[in-house]
């Protein structure tokens, strides 16, 4: 899968991308991340990428020309003379606090594409014509405002890449993740069997895999019930799951009485 990142701060990307799993994924040709400097697509003497807002007010606004030029050249899409979305099968995603809020299901959706473009905003804002006439999707990573879209772009690349075949060492790696099944993940333990008086639950040392699977499922259900009950509304639940949750609720009510 190929990511085309458009940014005014290309130097932000290598340190994260050249580490650990994403580094290995690139070396093995599973992902490719091309980082494009929007400033390289300016043709004036001072390589200006921002300007003051029409109508006044503070802050600077990202100019449309270099962003259109960069995206159209890299994706090889012909410039539109009139307004309207470009004819592109590649999602052109703007990272912005105004976008749909990123989650595991959007990561999965994006992982189906062979190539996606990510545009990182900077300054106080971007010229609205970028949003209206170039971008095909807008993603926010949460209800807070950062200084730019670079961290959000890295976050999207990370979450999408680890869903691709063979990126994680363990072939079932992404299947049991928190959120992958619509539940939070069960607790994990490794050696030593006892640490500062706290023991690993006996069931995990029992070697009984049916019992371990049941315990893990129940732990995942209980964690989700306590920490993120909103997720249970969308999760796929079996009859046994529902019975277990009903019992939890009953126990909770008894405690209150
Ligand atoms: N740029 C600034 N804040 C952002 C956010 N929360 N999500 C995506 N892009 C952003």
């Amino acid at each position: 899968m190929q990511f085309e990142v458009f940014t005014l701060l290309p130097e932000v990307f290598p340190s994260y991308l050249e580490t650990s799993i994403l580094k290995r994924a690139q070396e093995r040709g599973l992902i490719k991340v091309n980082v494009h400097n929007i400033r390289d697509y300016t043709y004036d003497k001072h390589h200006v990428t921002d300007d003051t807002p029409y109508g006044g007010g503070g802050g600077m606004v990202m100019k449309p020309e270099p962003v259109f030029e960069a995206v159209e050249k890299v994706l090889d899409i012909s410039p539109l003379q009139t307004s309207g979305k470009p004819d592109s099968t590649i999602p052109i995603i703007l990272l912005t606090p105004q976008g749909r809020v990123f989650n595991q299901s959007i990561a999965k959706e994006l992982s189906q594409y062979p190539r996606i473009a990510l545009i990182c905003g900077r300054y106080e804002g971007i010229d609205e014509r970028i949003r209206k006439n170039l971008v095909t999707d807008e993603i926010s990573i949460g209800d807070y405002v950062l200084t730019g879209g670079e961290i959000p772009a890295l976050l999207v690349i990370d979450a999408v890449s680890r869903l691709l075949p063979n990126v994680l060492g363990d072939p079932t790696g992404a299947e049991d993740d928190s959120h992958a099944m619509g539940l939070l993940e069960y607790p994990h333990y490794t050696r030593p069997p006892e640490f500062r008086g706290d023991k690993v639950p006996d069931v995990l040392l029992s070697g009984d895999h049916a019992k371990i699977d049941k315990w893990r499922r129940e732990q995942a259900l209980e964690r989700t019930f306590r920490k993120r009950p909103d997720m249970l509304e969308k999760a796929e639940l079996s009859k046994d799951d529902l019975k277990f949750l009903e019992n939890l609720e009953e126990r909770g009510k008894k405690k209150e009485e």
Side-chain angles (χ1 to χ4, degrees), residues 12-244:
V12 165
F13 290 84
S15 67
Y16 191 73
L17 295 173
E18 285 165 17
T19 316
S20 186
I21 290 175
L22 296 186
K23 177 182 183 193
R24 205 154 17 98
Q26 289 173 97
E27 286 169 354
R28 292 160 70 206
L30 302 172
I31 62 165
K32 188 160 199 299
V33 185
N34 298 320
V35 180
H36 309 280
N37 190 345
I38 294 169
R39 203 172 296 281
D40 292 343
Y41 296 84
T42 51
Y43 300 107
D44 60 304
K45 199 164 121 201
H46 298 291
H47 300 287
V48 175
T49 56
D50 63 331
D51 207 338
T52 52
Y54 276 123
M60 296 297 272
V61 175
M62 230 160 133
K63 286 167 70 60
E65 304 96 314
V67 180
F68 271 77
E69 179 78 9
V71 173
E72 286 169 347
K73 277 248 164 81
V74 169
L75 301 190
D76 196 20
I77 47 182
S78 35
L80 290 172
Q81 295 313 315
T82 53
S83 60
K85 299 283 185 200
D87 186 16
S88 169
T89 51
I90 302 162
I92 303 172
I93 301 166
L94 176 69
L95 284 315
T96 162
Q98 297 186 21
R100 53 186 179 135
V101 180
F102 192 61
N103 59 22
Q104 194 67 15
S105 116
I106 298 177
K108 214 167 184 179
E109 173 196 321
L110 296 179
S111 72
Q112 312 299 314
Y113 289 95
R115 198 176 178 204
I116 64 174
L118 298 165
I119 303 175
C120 308
R122 273 270 142 191
Y123 309 120
E124 298 307 303
I126 58 153
D127 188 286
E128 186 61 18
R129 288 161 292 190
I130 298 172
R131 192 191 303 283
K132 267 175 33 192
N133 302 327
L134 181 63
V135 157
T136 63
D137 195 0
E138 295 176 45
I139 287 179
S140 163
I141 61 160
D143 292 342
Y144 39 81
V145 182
L146 304 172
T147 53
E150 284 75 16
I151 289 175
L154 278 171
L155 184 148
V156 169
I157 293 170
D158 189 305
V160 170
S161 297
R162 63 189 293 293
L163 294 176
L164 299 172
N166 306 319
V167 167
L168 295 182
D170 171 3
T172 62
E175 287 167 22
D176 287 343
D177 287 340
S178 285
H179 297 280
M181 311 179 295
L183 296 176
L184 297 180
E185 211 177 339
Y186 52 78
H188 298 272
Y189 290 91
T190 184
R191 275 177 278 272
E194 183 173 339
F195 178 67
R196 298 190 178 175
D198 197 355
K199 284 188 179 152
V200 173
D202 286 338
V203 59
L204 296 178
L205 309 175
S206 69
D208 183 338
H209 286 284
K211 239 164 130 184
I212 292 172
D213 286 348
K214 180 167 182 285
W215 180 84
R216 286 181 166 165
R217 182 76 187 172
E218 290 179 355
Q219 289 287 318
L221 287 164
E222 183 160 353
R223 284 207 156 175
T224 312
F225 176 78
R226 302 210 184 284
K227 295 186 184 183
R228 290 291 306 275
D230 57 298
M231 286 172 63
L232 289 173
E233 282 162 33
K234 286 195 209 142
E236 258 182 60
L237 300 173
S238 68
K239 269 192 192 149
D240 284 347
D241 293 339
L242 290 169
K243 216 157 89 192
F244 178 78

